[in-house]
Amino acid sequence: MFTKGEEKKSVAEMVNSSNVIAKETTIKGDIITFGNIRIEGTVEGTLNSKTKIVIGESALLEGNVETKEAEIAGRIVGTIKCTEILYLKKSAVIDGDIYTKKLIIENGAVFNGICKMNEMESSDNSNTLKKNGVANDEKAGAKKGKEVVAG
């Protein structure tokens, strides 16, 4: 059906695509995308992107977020999981837990919940640690290079 060249091109187009949910738009349901997505309106459901999610100042998301990278300026009520970097702008309001590798918080951002850094990595290795008799807390304490930038 597709040649390998055409298949690679269509995958590249999906990853480089951008989706926008406008300011006065409300979506009820889960959103899954391989490309970038920007939310300015309201979403009630899970938001999942393989690349980057941007939540604008006017946005409200009631549901969980899973992505590689996120920039939040609006309000989220739910869990955020970023495999790379999470950036909370000064207007961000987060009511939920955060799991990320790197976290940058501007002065003025509001965060109500717990934050676990490198959680994606530790959950993958939890069974190995239990077999070797090492508790997750001991592993977390031994990790170095966790980065939090505030202000």
Side-chain angles (χ1 to χ4, degrees):
M1 188 158 169
F2 285 113
T3 66
K4 287 198 177 219
E6 289 173 337
E7 187 175 323
K8 286 182 182 178
K9 184 178 177 184
S10 71
V11 170
E13 287 173 356
M14 284 192 300
V15 170
N16 292 328
S17 69
S18 290
N19 302 286
V20 178
I21 307 301
K23 190 173 184 177
E24 296 184 14
T25 302
T26 299
I27 294 181
K28 294 182 181 183
D30 299 339
I31 299 174
I32 300 168
T33 181
F34 285 92
N36 299 333
I37 187 165
R38 180 178 187 93
I39 308 293
E40 292 292 343
T42 301
V43 174
E44 296 175 19
T46 300
L47 182 56
N48 188 320
S49 171
K50 300 293 182 194
T51 53
K52 184 176 182 179
I53 293 174
V54 177
I55 306 294
E57 278 189 50
S58 61
L60 168 63
L61 190 137
E62 295 179 345
N64 298 331
V65 174
E66 290 190 36
T67 187
K68 180 178 179 182
E69 183 179 336
E71 182 178 310
I72 313 295
R75 180 158 190 234
I76 295 180
V77 179
T79 301
I80 301 172
K81 293 182 180 180
C82 288
T83 56
E84 291 298 323
I85 189 165
L86 174 61
Y87 185 69
L88 301 182
K89 300 192 99 173
K90 64 183 177 184
S91 58
V93 177
I94 310 297
D95 290 313
D97 299 338
I98 292 174
Y99 301 88
T100 188
K101 189 173 183 180
K102 294 182 182 179
L103 177 63
I104 299 171
I105 305 173
E106 280 187 3
N107 191 17
V110 177
F111 166 56
N112 300 304
I114 63 166
C115 179
K116 292 193 177 185
M117 298 182 71
N118 292 328
E119 182 65 22
M120 305 297 177
E121 182 179 300
S122 66
S123 64
D124 293 340
N125 296 326
S126 62
N127 290 335
T128 305
L129 292 173
K130 288 176 186 173
K131 288 178 187 174
N132 294 332
V134 179
N136 283 335
D137 292 339
E138 291 172 353
K139 180 182 181 257
K143 283 193 171 204
K144 293 185 181 179
K146 294 182 181 178
E147 179 179 336
V148 175
V149 179

